[in-house]
Amino acid sequence: METKDKQLVVVGAGHAGSELAVAARQQGWAGRIVLLGDEPAWPYHRPPLSKAWLAGKVDAEGLLLRATSVYEGAQVDLHRGVRMERIDRANQRLELADGSALAYDALALCTGGRPRPLTCAGLVPGEQPTNLHYLRNMADAEGIRAQLRPGARVVIIGGGYVGLEVAASARGLGAEVVLLELQPRVLARVAGAEVSAFYEGVHRAAGVDLRTGVEVEAVELHQGAIRAVLCRGGTRVPCDLVVAGLGMLLNTEAAQAAGLAEADGIRVDELSRTRDPQVMAAGDCTLQFSGVYGRELRIESVPNALEQARAAASWLGGQPKPNRAVPWFWSDQYDLKLQMAGLSQGHDRCVLRGDPASRSFSAFYLAGDRLLAMDAINRPADFMQAKRALAQPCGVDAERLADASQPLKEILQPVAVI
Ligand SMILES: Cc1cc2nc3c(=O)[nH]c(=O)nc-3n(C[C@H](O)[C@H](O)[C@H](O)COP(=O)(O)OP(=O)(O)OC[C@H]3O[C@@H](n4cnc5c(N)ncnc54)[C@H](O)[C@@H]3O)c2cc1C
Protein backbone atom coordinates (compact mmCIF):
# COMPACT_ATOMS: atom_id res chain seq x y z
CA MET A 1 0.00 0.00 0.00
CA GLU A 2 1.28 3.51 -0.82
CA THR A 3 1.24 5.14 2.63
CA LYS A 4 2.51 8.68 2.00
CA ASP A 5 -0.90 10.37 2.27
CA LYS A 6 -2.39 7.92 4.73
CA GLN A 7 -2.99 8.22 8.45
CA LEU A 8 -2.19 5.45 10.91
CA VAL A 9 -3.88 5.85 14.29
CA VAL A 10 -2.64 3.73 17.19
CA VAL A 11 -4.95 3.64 20.22
CA GLY A 12 -3.29 2.89 23.56
CA ALA A 13 0.19 4.19 24.37
CA GLY A 14 1.42 1.27 26.47
CA HIS A 15 4.02 -1.35 25.55
CA ALA A 16 2.30 -2.50 22.35
CA GLY A 17 1.09 0.90 21.10
CA SER A 18 4.34 2.75 21.68
CA GLU A 19 6.35 0.01 19.97
CA LEU A 20 3.91 -0.29 17.07
CA ALA A 21 3.90 3.44 16.31
CA VAL A 22 7.69 3.78 16.30
CA ALA A 23 8.31 0.45 14.53
CA ALA A 24 5.77 1.30 11.80
CA ARG A 25 7.84 4.36 10.96
CA GLN A 26 11.08 2.36 11.01
CA GLN A 27 9.53 -0.28 8.77
CA GLY A 28 8.47 2.18 6.11
CA TRP A 29 5.09 3.71 6.95
CA ALA A 30 5.50 7.07 5.21
CA GLY A 31 2.26 8.84 6.19
CA ARG A 32 1.12 10.46 9.41
CA ILE A 33 1.23 8.40 12.63
CA VAL A 34 -0.95 9.41 15.57
CA LEU A 35 -0.54 7.64 18.92
CA LEU A 36 -3.41 8.17 21.37
CA GLY A 37 -3.10 7.30 25.04
CA ASP A 38 -5.59 8.03 27.79
CA GLU A 39 -2.93 8.22 30.50
CA PRO A 40 -1.26 11.58 31.21
CA ALA A 41 2.26 10.11 31.41
CA TRP A 42 4.67 9.47 28.56
CA PRO A 43 4.66 5.73 27.70
CA TYR A 44 6.36 3.85 30.52
CA HIS A 45 7.40 0.35 31.61
CA ARG A 46 4.54 -1.26 33.53
CA PRO A 47 6.38 -4.23 35.17
CA PRO A 48 8.45 -2.11 37.62
CA LEU A 49 5.24 -0.70 39.14
CA SER A 50 5.06 -3.76 41.39
CA LYS A 51 8.83 -4.21 41.67
CA ALA A 52 11.62 -1.61 41.52
CA TRP A 53 9.33 1.43 41.34
CA LEU A 54 7.17 0.36 44.27
CA ALA A 55 10.32 -0.43 46.23
CA GLY A 56 11.61 3.09 45.51
CA LYS A 57 14.57 1.88 43.44
CA VAL A 58 13.68 3.69 40.22
CA ASP A 59 12.12 7.10 39.55
CA ALA A 60 9.52 8.16 36.98
CA GLU A 61 12.23 9.12 34.47
CA GLY A 62 13.74 5.64 34.73
CA LEU A 63 10.37 4.13 33.84
CA LEU A 64 10.08 5.71 30.40
CA LEU A 65 9.85 3.23 27.55
CA ARG A 66 11.91 5.52 25.33
CA ALA A 67 13.24 9.06 25.46
CA THR A 68 10.50 11.57 24.60
CA SER A 69 12.62 12.79 21.68
CA VAL A 70 12.25 9.39 19.98
CA TYR A 71 8.58 10.08 19.16
CA GLU A 72 9.51 13.40 17.63
CA GLY A 73 12.37 11.79 15.70
CA ALA A 74 10.04 9.13 14.32
CA GLN A 75 7.40 11.79 13.60
CA VAL A 76 4.87 10.10 15.82
CA ASP A 77 2.24 12.57 17.09
CA LEU A 78 1.68 11.41 20.63
CA HIS A 79 -1.52 12.67 22.23
CA ARG A 80 -1.56 11.96 25.96
CA GLY A 81 -4.67 12.04 28.14
CA VAL A 82 -6.91 11.42 25.12
CA ARG A 83 -9.44 8.63 25.18
CA MET A 84 -10.97 6.93 22.19
CA GLU A 85 -14.66 6.15 22.76
CA ARG A 86 -16.06 4.74 19.53
CA ILE A 87 -14.88 3.19 16.29
CA ASP A 88 -16.91 4.08 13.21
CA ARG A 89 -15.63 1.49 10.77
CA ALA A 90 -17.96 2.47 7.94
CA ASN A 91 -16.46 5.97 7.81
CA GLN A 92 -13.01 5.03 9.10
CA ARG A 93 -13.07 7.49 11.97
CA LEU A 94 -12.76 7.46 15.73
CA GLU A 95 -14.81 9.42 18.21
CA LEU A 96 -12.79 10.76 21.11
CA ALA A 97 -13.89 11.53 24.65
CA ASP A 98 -13.35 15.28 24.14
CA GLY A 99 -16.03 15.26 21.43
CA SER A 100 -13.63 15.46 18.48
CA ALA A 101 -13.22 12.89 15.71
CA LEU A 102 -10.14 11.46 14.06
CA ALA A 103 -9.98 9.84 10.63
CA TYR A 104 -7.84 6.78 9.97
CA ASP A 105 -6.67 4.81 6.99
CA ALA A 106 -5.13 2.16 9.22
CA LEU A 107 -6.04 1.63 12.87
CA ALA A 108 -4.17 -0.32 15.55
CA LEU A 109 -5.91 -1.16 18.81
CA CYS A 110 -3.48 -1.61 21.72
CA THR A 111 -5.80 -0.89 24.62
CA GLY A 112 -4.60 -3.53 27.10
CA GLY A 113 -6.70 -4.19 30.18
CA ARG A 114 -7.69 -2.88 33.58
CA PRO A 115 -7.76 -4.60 36.96
CA ARG A 116 -10.62 -6.96 37.76
CA PRO A 117 -12.44 -5.34 40.68
CA LEU A 118 -12.89 -7.02 44.02
CA THR A 119 -16.51 -7.88 44.70
CA CYS A 120 -17.64 -8.91 48.16
CA ALA A 121 -20.06 -7.88 50.87
CA GLY A 122 -19.39 -4.40 52.18
CA LEU A 123 -18.25 -2.97 48.86
CA VAL A 124 -20.56 -0.86 46.74
CA PRO A 125 -19.82 -1.01 42.98
CA GLY A 126 -18.39 2.34 41.85
CA GLU A 127 -17.47 3.43 45.39
CA GLN A 128 -13.86 2.60 46.17
CA PRO A 129 -12.68 2.71 49.78
CA THR A 130 -9.76 5.10 50.20
CA ASN A 131 -7.35 2.30 51.09
CA LEU A 132 -8.40 -0.31 48.51
CA HIS A 133 -5.93 -0.43 45.65
CA TYR A 134 -5.50 -2.15 42.32
CA LEU A 135 -2.34 -2.07 40.24
CA ARG A 136 -2.25 -1.45 36.53
CA ASN A 137 -0.98 2.06 35.98
CA MET A 138 1.22 4.76 37.45
CA ALA A 139 -1.66 6.42 39.31
CA ASP A 140 -2.50 3.09 40.99
CA ALA A 141 1.13 2.56 41.98
CA GLU A 142 1.38 6.08 43.42
CA GLY A 143 -1.74 5.42 45.49
CA ILE A 144 -0.20 2.27 46.97
CA ARG A 145 3.18 3.83 47.63
CA ALA A 146 1.62 6.75 49.48
CA GLN A 147 0.13 4.35 52.06
CA LEU A 148 2.87 1.73 52.16
CA ARG A 149 4.82 2.79 55.26
CA PRO A 150 7.02 0.67 57.52
CA GLY A 151 4.73 -1.19 59.89
CA ALA A 152 1.62 -0.64 57.73
CA ARG A 153 -0.65 -3.69 57.77
CA VAL A 154 -1.20 -4.70 54.16
CA VAL A 155 -3.65 -7.35 53.02
CA ILE A 156 -2.95 -8.57 49.49
CA ILE A 157 -5.81 -10.45 47.84
CA GLY A 158 -4.56 -12.73 45.06
CA GLY A 159 -1.41 -14.84 44.82
CA GLY A 160 -0.61 -14.28 41.16
CA TYR A 161 2.51 -12.46 39.95
CA VAL A 162 1.28 -8.98 40.78
CA GLY A 163 0.17 -9.96 44.29
CA LEU A 164 3.43 -11.78 45.05
CA GLU A 165 5.59 -8.98 43.68
CA VAL A 166 3.72 -6.39 45.73
CA ALA A 167 4.17 -8.63 48.78
CA ALA A 168 7.94 -8.77 48.21
CA SER A 169 8.20 -5.00 47.67
CA ALA A 170 6.02 -4.29 50.71
CA ARG A 171 8.18 -6.51 52.93
CA GLY A 172 11.24 -4.69 51.61
CA LEU A 173 9.65 -1.44 52.82
CA GLY A 174 9.00 -2.89 56.26
CA ALA A 175 5.24 -3.41 55.95
CA GLU A 176 3.39 -6.28 57.62
CA VAL A 177 1.90 -8.45 54.86
CA VAL A 178 -0.95 -10.94 54.86
CA LEU A 179 -1.53 -12.54 51.46
CA LEU A 180 -4.84 -14.31 50.82
CA GLU A 181 -5.20 -16.70 47.87
CA LEU A 182 -8.42 -18.51 46.99
CA GLN A 183 -6.72 -21.43 45.21
CA PRO A 184 -4.89 -24.16 47.15
CA ARG A 185 -1.57 -22.72 45.93
CA VAL A 186 -0.14 -19.45 44.60
CA LEU A 187 0.60 -19.04 40.87
CA ALA A 188 -1.87 -21.88 40.24
CA ARG A 189 -2.83 -20.58 36.80
CA VAL A 190 0.70 -20.15 35.46
CA ALA A 191 3.23 -22.40 37.19
CA GLY A 192 3.64 -26.02 38.28
CA ALA A 193 3.05 -27.16 41.86
CA GLU A 194 6.82 -27.36 42.57
CA VAL A 195 7.37 -23.73 41.63
CA SER A 196 4.30 -22.61 43.60
CA ALA A 197 5.56 -24.46 46.69
CA PHE A 198 8.98 -22.85 46.31
CA TYR A 199 7.52 -19.33 46.16
CA GLU A 200 5.20 -19.98 49.09
CA GLY A 201 8.23 -21.02 51.14
CA VAL A 202 10.24 -17.98 50.06
CA HIS A 203 7.47 -15.55 51.00
CA ARG A 204 6.83 -17.19 54.36
CA ALA A 205 10.55 -17.11 55.14
CA ALA A 206 10.51 -13.39 54.31
CA GLY A 207 7.78 -12.85 56.88
CA VAL A 208 4.67 -12.84 54.69
CA ASP A 209 1.65 -14.43 56.36
CA LEU A 210 0.62 -16.36 53.26
CA ARG A 211 -2.70 -18.20 53.40
CA THR A 212 -4.05 -20.33 50.55
CA GLY A 213 -7.53 -21.77 50.05
CA VAL A 214 -8.97 -18.63 51.64
CA GLU A 215 -12.06 -16.93 50.31
CA VAL A 216 -12.62 -13.27 51.04
CA GLU A 217 -16.25 -12.88 51.98
CA ALA A 218 -16.58 -9.27 53.08
CA VAL A 219 -14.78 -6.14 54.13
CA GLU A 220 -15.44 -4.10 57.25
CA LEU A 221 -15.55 -0.38 56.53
CA HIS A 222 -14.94 2.57 58.79
CA GLN A 223 -15.17 6.17 57.54
CA GLY A 224 -14.76 5.15 53.91
CA ALA A 225 -11.74 2.88 54.47
CA ILE A 226 -11.42 -0.88 54.91
CA ARG A 227 -10.34 -1.68 58.44
CA ALA A 228 -10.58 -5.47 58.19
CA VAL A 229 -10.98 -8.22 55.62
CA LEU A 230 -13.37 -11.00 56.61
CA CYS A 231 -12.75 -14.52 55.29
CA ARG A 232 -15.13 -17.46 54.93
CA GLY A 233 -15.00 -19.43 58.15
CA GLY A 234 -14.95 -16.30 60.28
CA THR A 235 -11.31 -15.15 60.20
CA ARG A 236 -10.95 -11.37 60.50
CA VAL A 237 -7.76 -9.77 59.17
CA PRO A 238 -7.27 -6.15 60.34
CA CYS A 239 -5.52 -3.88 57.84
CA ASP A 240 -4.36 -0.39 56.94
CA LEU A 241 -4.53 -0.99 53.21
CA VAL A 242 -5.68 -3.66 50.78
CA VAL A 243 -4.17 -4.45 47.38
CA ALA A 244 -6.29 -6.66 45.11
CA GLY A 245 -4.42 -8.49 42.34
CA LEU A 246 -7.22 -10.46 40.72
CA GLY A 247 -6.20 -10.41 37.07
CA MET A 248 -7.58 -8.09 34.45
CA LEU A 249 -10.58 -7.21 32.34
CA LEU A 250 -9.99 -6.40 28.68
CA ASN A 251 -10.32 -2.84 27.40
CA THR A 252 -12.21 -4.00 24.34
CA GLU A 253 -15.64 -2.38 24.69
CA ALA A 254 -15.16 -0.09 21.67
CA ALA A 255 -13.76 -2.96 19.59
CA GLN A 256 -16.68 -5.18 20.62
CA ALA A 257 -19.23 -2.51 19.73
CA ALA A 258 -17.53 -2.22 16.32
CA GLY A 259 -17.80 -5.99 15.78
CA LEU A 260 -14.04 -6.59 16.11
CA ALA A 261 -13.86 -8.44 19.42
CA GLU A 262 -15.47 -11.23 21.36
CA ALA A 263 -15.57 -11.47 25.13
CA ASP A 264 -12.11 -13.07 25.16
CA GLY A 265 -10.33 -10.47 23.07
CA ILE A 266 -9.76 -8.94 19.68
CA ARG A 267 -9.12 -11.83 17.36
CA VAL A 268 -5.89 -11.42 15.36
CA ASP A 269 -3.64 -13.52 13.16
CA GLU A 270 0.16 -13.82 13.29
CA LEU A 271 0.48 -10.43 11.59
CA SER A 272 -1.80 -8.86 14.21
CA ARG A 273 -4.54 -8.30 11.62
CA THR A 274 -8.17 -8.36 12.71
CA ARG A 275 -11.02 -9.43 10.47
CA ASP A 276 -11.17 -5.83 9.15
CA PRO A 277 -8.26 -5.28 6.73
CA GLN A 278 -7.93 -1.68 7.98
CA VAL A 279 -7.62 -2.64 11.63
CA MET A 280 -4.84 -4.29 13.59
CA ALA A 281 -4.52 -5.08 17.30
CA ALA A 282 -1.64 -6.01 19.58
CA GLY A 283 -0.90 -6.79 23.21
CA ASP A 284 -3.01 -7.88 26.17
CA CYS A 285 -6.32 -7.02 24.46
CA THR A 286 -5.89 -9.65 21.74
CA LEU A 287 -6.81 -13.27 21.23
CA GLN A 288 -4.18 -14.43 18.79
CA PHE A 289 -3.99 -17.39 16.51
CA SER A 290 -0.61 -19.04 16.94
CA GLY A 291 0.67 -21.17 14.08
CA VAL A 292 3.33 -22.55 16.44
CA TYR A 293 0.73 -23.88 18.89
CA GLY A 294 -2.05 -24.42 16.32
CA ARG A 295 -4.62 -22.69 18.52
CA GLU A 296 -5.80 -19.37 19.83
CA LEU A 297 -3.90 -17.90 22.77
CA ARG A 298 -4.34 -15.05 25.21
CA ILE A 299 -0.95 -13.91 26.39
CA GLU A 300 -0.43 -11.10 28.87
CA SER A 301 3.22 -10.14 28.78
CA VAL A 302 5.53 -7.39 27.62
CA PRO A 303 7.52 -9.58 25.18
CA ASN A 304 4.28 -10.68 23.53
CA ALA A 305 3.02 -7.09 23.25
CA LEU A 306 6.30 -6.12 21.55
CA GLU A 307 6.33 -9.09 19.16
CA GLN A 308 2.74 -8.52 18.09
CA ALA A 309 3.43 -4.80 17.62
CA ARG A 310 6.46 -5.55 15.45
CA ALA A 311 4.47 -8.02 13.35
CA ALA A 312 1.79 -5.37 12.78
CA ALA A 313 4.45 -2.81 11.88
CA SER A 314 6.02 -5.21 9.38
CA TRP A 315 2.63 -5.65 7.71
CA LEU A 316 2.04 -1.89 7.61
CA GLY A 317 5.51 -1.34 6.18
CA GLY A 318 4.88 -3.82 3.38
CA GLN A 319 7.34 -6.50 4.52
CA PRO A 320 5.18 -8.90 6.51
CA LYS A 321 6.95 -10.92 9.19
CA PRO A 322 4.56 -13.11 11.17
CA ASN A 323 4.98 -13.39 14.92
CA ARG A 324 6.25 -16.90 15.70
CA ALA A 325 8.09 -15.99 18.90
CA VAL A 326 8.23 -18.38 21.85
CA PRO A 327 6.09 -16.79 24.62
CA TRP A 328 8.14 -15.73 27.61
CA PHE A 329 7.71 -13.78 30.82
CA TRP A 330 9.63 -12.80 33.92
CA SER A 331 8.96 -11.92 37.53
CA ASP A 332 11.27 -10.38 40.16
CA GLN A 333 10.67 -11.13 43.83
CA TYR A 334 13.29 -10.52 46.54
CA ASP A 335 16.64 -11.73 45.15
CA LEU A 336 14.92 -14.11 42.71
CA LYS A 337 14.57 -13.68 38.98
CA LEU A 338 12.00 -16.03 37.53
CA GLN A 339 12.03 -16.42 33.75
CA MET A 340 9.51 -18.56 31.92
CA ALA A 341 9.56 -19.81 28.33
CA GLY A 342 6.85 -21.68 26.45
CA LEU A 343 3.35 -22.62 27.62
CA SER A 344 3.01 -25.38 30.20
CA GLN A 345 -0.69 -26.19 29.68
CA GLY A 346 -1.11 -29.91 29.01
CA HIS A 347 2.12 -31.05 30.70
CA ASP A 348 2.03 -34.44 32.42
CA ARG A 349 5.16 -34.07 34.51
CA CYS A 350 7.60 -31.55 35.83
CA VAL A 351 11.33 -32.26 36.03
CA LEU A 352 13.51 -30.16 38.34
CA ARG A 353 17.10 -29.35 37.52
CA GLY A 354 19.10 -27.99 40.43
CA ASP A 355 18.08 -27.76 44.06
CA PRO A 356 15.30 -25.34 45.09
CA ALA A 357 17.03 -24.97 48.48
CA SER A 358 19.94 -23.28 46.67
CA ARG A 359 17.51 -20.67 45.26
CA SER A 360 18.75 -21.53 41.78
CA PHE A 361 16.90 -24.21 39.83
CA SER A 362 14.77 -24.82 36.75
CA ALA A 363 11.45 -26.60 36.31
CA PHE A 364 10.86 -28.25 32.95
CA TYR A 365 7.29 -29.08 31.87
CA LEU A 366 7.00 -32.20 29.72
CA ALA A 367 4.26 -34.01 27.82
CA GLY A 368 5.77 -37.46 27.37
CA ASP A 369 9.33 -36.75 26.18
CA ARG A 370 8.36 -33.45 24.60
CA LEU A 371 9.38 -30.21 26.29
CA LEU A 372 6.49 -27.71 26.46
CA ALA A 373 7.81 -25.01 28.73
CA MET A 374 10.22 -24.18 31.53
CA ASP A 375 10.62 -21.87 34.51
CA ALA A 376 14.12 -20.80 35.50
CA ILE A 377 14.75 -19.36 38.95
CA ASN A 378 18.07 -17.52 39.08
CA ARG A 379 19.29 -19.67 36.15
CA PRO A 380 19.44 -17.35 33.15
CA ALA A 381 21.65 -19.71 31.11
CA ASP A 382 19.05 -22.51 31.37
CA PHE A 383 16.36 -20.06 30.34
CA MET A 384 18.25 -18.82 27.29
CA GLN A 385 19.04 -22.32 26.06
CA ALA A 386 15.52 -23.65 26.62
CA LYS A 387 13.87 -20.61 25.03
CA ARG A 388 16.04 -21.09 21.95
CA ALA A 389 15.28 -24.81 21.84
CA LEU A 390 11.53 -24.23 22.22
CA ALA A 391 11.47 -22.31 18.93
CA GLN A 392 10.94 -25.72 17.37
CA PRO A 393 9.51 -29.00 18.70
CA CYS A 394 11.96 -30.14 21.33
CA GLY A 395 12.48 -33.57 22.92
CA VAL A 396 14.31 -34.39 26.15
CA ASP A 397 15.56 -37.38 28.10
CA ALA A 398 13.93 -36.69 31.48
CA GLU A 399 16.53 -38.61 33.47
CA ARG A 400 19.45 -36.70 32.01
CA LEU A 401 17.52 -33.45 32.35
CA ALA A 402 17.26 -33.95 36.11
CA ASP A 403 21.04 -34.39 36.34
CA ALA A 404 22.44 -30.86 36.50
CA SER A 405 25.96 -32.13 35.78
CA GLN A 406 24.92 -33.04 32.22
CA PRO A 407 25.09 -30.18 29.69
CA LEU A 408 21.59 -28.90 28.97
CA LYS A 409 22.51 -28.08 25.38
CA GLU A 410 23.01 -31.77 24.62
CA ILE A 411 19.74 -32.77 26.28
CA LEU A 412 17.47 -30.37 24.41
CA GLN A 413 17.04 -31.99 21.02
CA PRO A 414 14.86 -30.96 18.08
CA VAL A 415 12.28 -33.60 17.21
CA ALA A 416 10.48 -34.16 13.95
CA VAL A 417 6.70 -33.67 14.07
CA ILE A 418 4.71 -35.91 11.76
C1 LIG B 1 2.06 -4.45 38.04
C2 LIG B 1 2.33 -5.22 36.79
C3 LIG B 1 3.49 -5.96 36.67
C4 LIG B 1 3.76 -6.66 35.51
N1 LIG B 1 4.93 -7.36 35.41
C5 LIG B 1 5.23 -7.96 34.25
C6 LIG B 1 6.48 -8.63 34.07
O1 LIG B 1 7.29 -8.71 34.99
N2 LIG B 1 6.77 -9.17 32.87
C7 LIG B 1 5.90 -9.09 31.81
O2 LIG B 1 6.21 -9.60 30.73
N3 LIG B 1 4.71 -8.50 31.96
C8 LIG B 1 4.35 -7.93 33.14
N4 LIG B 1 3.14 -7.30 33.28
C9 LIG B 1 2.19 -7.35 32.17
C10 LIG B 1 2.53 -6.27 31.14
O3 LIG B 1 2.65 -5.03 31.78
C11 LIG B 1 1.45 -6.24 30.08
O4 LIG B 1 1.42 -7.51 29.45
C12 LIG B 1 1.77 -5.16 29.05
O5 LIG B 1 1.70 -3.90 29.66
C13 LIG B 1 0.81 -5.25 27.88
O6 LIG B 1 1.01 -4.16 27.03
P1 LIG B 1 -0.22 -3.51 26.25
O7 LIG B 1 0.36 -2.42 25.43
O8 LIG B 1 -1.02 -4.57 25.62
O9 LIG B 1 -1.15 -2.91 27.39
P2 LIG B 1 -0.86 -1.71 28.37
O10 LIG B 1 0.58 -1.62 28.68
O11 LIG B 1 -1.83 -1.85 29.49
O12 LIG B 1 -1.26 -0.40 27.54
C14 LIG B 1 -2.57 -0.13 27.14
C15 LIG B 1 -2.74 1.38 27.17
O13 LIG B 1 -3.92 1.72 26.47
C16 LIG B 1 -4.61 2.72 27.19
N5 LIG B 1 -6.00 2.73 26.75
C17 LIG B 1 -6.95 1.78 26.99
N6 LIG B 1 -8.11 2.10 26.39
C18 LIG B 1 -7.89 3.27 25.75
C19 LIG B 1 -8.72 4.12 24.96
N7 LIG B 1 -10.00 3.81 24.69
N8 LIG B 1 -8.20 5.28 24.45
C20 LIG B 1 -6.90 5.59 24.71
N9 LIG B 1 -6.07 4.82 25.44
C21 LIG B 1 -6.56 3.68 25.97
C22 LIG B 1 -4.39 2.27 28.63
O14 LIG B 1 -4.66 3.29 29.57
C23 LIG B 1 -2.91 1.91 28.58
O15 LIG B 1 -2.10 3.04 28.76
C24 LIG B 1 2.84 -6.61 34.44
C25 LIG B 1 1.65 -5.88 34.56
C26 LIG B 1 1.39 -5.17 35.73
C27 LIG B 1 0.12 -4.37 35.83
Side-chain angles (χ1 to χ4, degrees):
M1 161 168 50
E2 178 52 64
T3 58
K4 198 160 82 57
D5 301 316
K6 308 255 186 241
Q7 174 148 289
L8 164 65
V9 179
V10 182
V11 180
H15 286 271
S18 169
E19 179 73 17
L20 198 157
V22 173
R25 179 68 77 216
Q26 289 163 348
Q27 307 234 15
W29 180 272
R32 192 169 175 224
I33 301 178
V34 179
L35 174 58
L36 295 182
D38 62 358
E39 294 189 60
W42 288 85
Y44 59 88
H45 288 277
R46 226 165 270 287
L49 296 181
S50 50
K51 312 175 181 77
W53 193 88
L54 197 57
K57 292 179 187 155
V58 62
D59 61 10
E61 181 97 22
L63 278 191
L64 293 183
L65 278 174
R66 28 180 69 84
T68 55
S69 58
V70 171
Y71 301 97
E72 207 182 289
Q75 291 175 285
V76 170
D77 293 339
L78 172 57
H79 297 261
R80 291 176 285 138
V82 177
R83 189 170 169 72
M84 181 276 289
E85 291 290 358
R86 205 174 85 81
I87 304 164
D88 176 356
R89 281 169 63 200
N91 297 300
Q92 292 189 199
R93 64 199 272 285
L94 303 175
E95 291 173 15
L96 310 182
D98 63 5
S100 64
L102 188 62
Y104 67 82
D105 298 291
L107 170 66
L109 300 170
C110 305
T111 49
R114 59 186 182 278
R116 181 182 300 283
L118 175 67
T119 51
C120 67
L123 290 175
V124 180
E127 281 177 32
Q128 194 168 325
T130 51
N131 62 346
L132 170 59
H133 301 277
Y134 300 99
L135 184 47
R136 180 75 193 184
N137 59 33
M138 180 68 104
D140 298 333
E142 278 168 352
I144 296 173
R145 205 156 83 170
Q147 294 181 356
L148 204 53
R149 298 185 196 91
R153 295 165 306 165
V154 189
V155 172
I156 297 172
I157 305 177
Y161 288 119
V162 169
L164 292 178
E165 288 176 355
V166 171
S169 300
R171 285 300 295 142
L173 292 171
E176 298 299 320
V177 180
V178 179
L179 188 144
L180 307 174
E181 166 57 52
L182 177 64
Q183 298 298 321
R185 61 185 174 94
V186 301
L187 299 175
R189 203 168 53 89
V190 288
E194 295 80 355
V195 173
S196 296
F198 171 76
Y199 274 97
E200 287 170 6
V202 164
H203 278 277
R204 288 189 175 122
V208 174
D209 178 354
L210 189 150
R211 310 179 196 177
T212 54
V214 174
E215 186 178 351
V216 170
E217 219 169 34
V219 292
E220 204 177 283
L221 290 173
H222 179 66
Q223 295 183 340
I226 299 175
R227 68 172 173 191
V229 173
L230 309 177
C231 307
R232 186 175 290 274
T235 310
R236 179 178 181 275
V237 189
C239 60
D240 298 309
L241 67 147
V242 176
V243 181
L246 304 170
M248 62 166 223
L249 301 176
L250 304 175
N251 289 331
T252 50
E253 286 79 0
Q256 267 187 279
L260 290 169
E262 276 71 45
D264 45 3
I266 305 173
R267 217 170 231 128
V268 293
D269 65 11
E270 289 179 308
L271 286 165
S272 306
R273 298 175 300 189
T274 69
R275 60 172 74 105
D276 179 334
Q278 255 65 51
V279 186
M280 263 134 290
D284 283 11
C285 63
T286 64
L287 176 68
Q288 59 184 297
F289 178 77
S290 159
V292 176
Y293 289 92
R295 59 186 158 98
E296 288 185 317
L297 306 173
R298 285 223 52 255
I299 301 178
E300 295 168 20
S301 79
V302 167
N304 173 67
L306 300 180
E307 295 293 351
Q308 284 190 296
R310 288 169 194 148
S314 75
W315 165 253
L316 289 163
Q319 292 181 38
K321 200 165 167 279
N323 168 25
R324 306 251 156 88
V326 174
W328 70 277
F329 190 85
W330 77 93
S331 173
D332 299 325
Q333 298 165 45
Y334 308 105
D335 58 333
L336 303 169
K337 177 164 273 307
L338 169 62
Q339 295 167 295
M340 291 143 280
L343 299 173
S344 62
Q345 284 93 345
H347 74 274
D348 51 38
R349 66 184 152 155
C350 173
V351 175
L352 297 187
R353 190 173 164 86
D355 180 7
S358 71
R359 294 170 87 87
S360 167
F361 71 102
S362 297
F364 289 83
Y365 300 102
L366 274 54
D369 291 334
R370 171 95 183 263
L371 179 65
L372 299 182
M374 68 91 70
D375 298 336
I377 289 104
N378 284 349
R379 272 174 101 95
D382 280 8
F383 167 75
M384 289 309 293
Q385 287 179 47
K387 179 166 167 282
R388 217 172 296 134
L390 282 164
Q392 52 190 311
C394 173
V396 288
D397 173 335
E399 223 165 275
R400 288 184 71 205
L401 188 60
D403 180 354
S405 69
Q406 303 228 20
L408 186 56
K409 221 160 137 186
E410 289 170 16
I411 300 168
L412 304 170
Q413 289 297 328
V415 289
V417 178
I418 303 138

